């Protein structure tokens, strides 16, 4: 988390094993956590998070597999998983969810090279409405 400079936004945690990573992110970071679980402990984890008072305010859980998630592209500031082995198809599905330039994807504790660097010029556009006249028309 030291390399991840995002102070707010969304973290997607996929392939939950015991839910500890999702829980820790929800408690110890300002990120809103989206947990994807296709295991048999879905209801037990959700009940635990409800008892802790973090479900619905800091963490939300969805039953399913990362290959067919109903989320919009580029919504996540952080995509991280608890499972060690990830298929290429799943990796491709997860990449589309990572926010460009500032988003991070962590696979087995490693940030893939194409998600490691933010371009120097990122965030330097100074015109609110996108043109040189700074007009909306």
């Amino acid at each position: 988390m030291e390399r991840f400079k995002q102070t707010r936004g969304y973290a997607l945690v996929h392939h939950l094993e015991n839910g500890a990573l999702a829980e820790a992110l929800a408690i110890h970071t300002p990120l809103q956590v989206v947990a994807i679980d296709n295991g048999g402990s879905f209801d037990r984890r959700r009940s635990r998070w409800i008892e802790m008072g973090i479900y619905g305010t800091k963490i939300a859980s969805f039953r399913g597999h990362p290959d067919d998630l109903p989320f919009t592209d580029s919504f996540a500031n952080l995509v991280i998983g608890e499972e060690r082995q990830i298929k290429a198809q799943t990796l491709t599905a997860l990449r589309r969810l990572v926010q460009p330039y500032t988003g991070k994807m962590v696979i087995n504790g490693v940030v893939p090279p194409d998600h490691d660097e933010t371009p120097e010029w990122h965030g330097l556009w100074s015109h609110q409405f996108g043109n040189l006249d700074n007009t909306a028309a």
Side-chain angles (χ1 to χ4, degrees):
M1 289 304 294
E2 292 84 31
R3 288 179 54 198
F4 185 66
K5 297 177 179 83
Q6 196 73 31
T7 58
R8 60 183 177 194
Y10 292 90
L12 179 111
V13 182
H14 58 88
H15 289 98
L16 297 186
E17 287 181 359
N18 61 14
L21 177 60
E23 192 172 297
L25 285 170
I27 293 170
H28 300 292
T29 71
L31 297 170
Q32 298 294 317
V33 178
V34 177
I36 307 301
D37 190 2
N38 61 347
S41 304
F42 180 81
D43 294 327
R44 185 175 46 84
R45 272 192 210 106
R46 189 171 53 185
S47 295
R48 174 179 161 77
W49 293 334
I50 289 170
E51 288 174 15
M52 292 174 67
I54 60 173
Y55 190 79
T57 57
K58 285 290 292 174
I59 193 167
S61 60
F62 294 87
R63 189 182 304 247
H65 194 273
D67 291 349
D68 56 340
L69 295 175
F71 302 120
T72 187
D73 293 354
S74 306
F75 93 93
N77 303 95
L78 174 66
V79 174
I80 190 168
E82 290 185 354
E83 186 176 274
R84 294 281 182 212
Q85 300 296 325
I86 298 175
K87 295 185 266 179
Q89 176 185 357
T90 302
L91 189 59
T92 301
L94 290 170
R95 274 186 203 275
R96 77 169 181 84
L97 301 174
V98 181
Q99 197 173 68
Y101 305 124
T102 58
K104 297 288 183 204
M105 175 181 259
V106 181
I107 306 296
N108 297 335
V110 177
V111 177
D114 60 335
H115 285 283
D116 199 22
E117 295 296 323
T118 301
E120 262 180 50
W121 50 264
H122 177 70
L124 296 179
W125 187 251
S126 61
H127 305 356
Q128 177 181 2
F129 294 112
N131 64 22
L132 295 176
D133 294 330
N134 203 24
T135 61

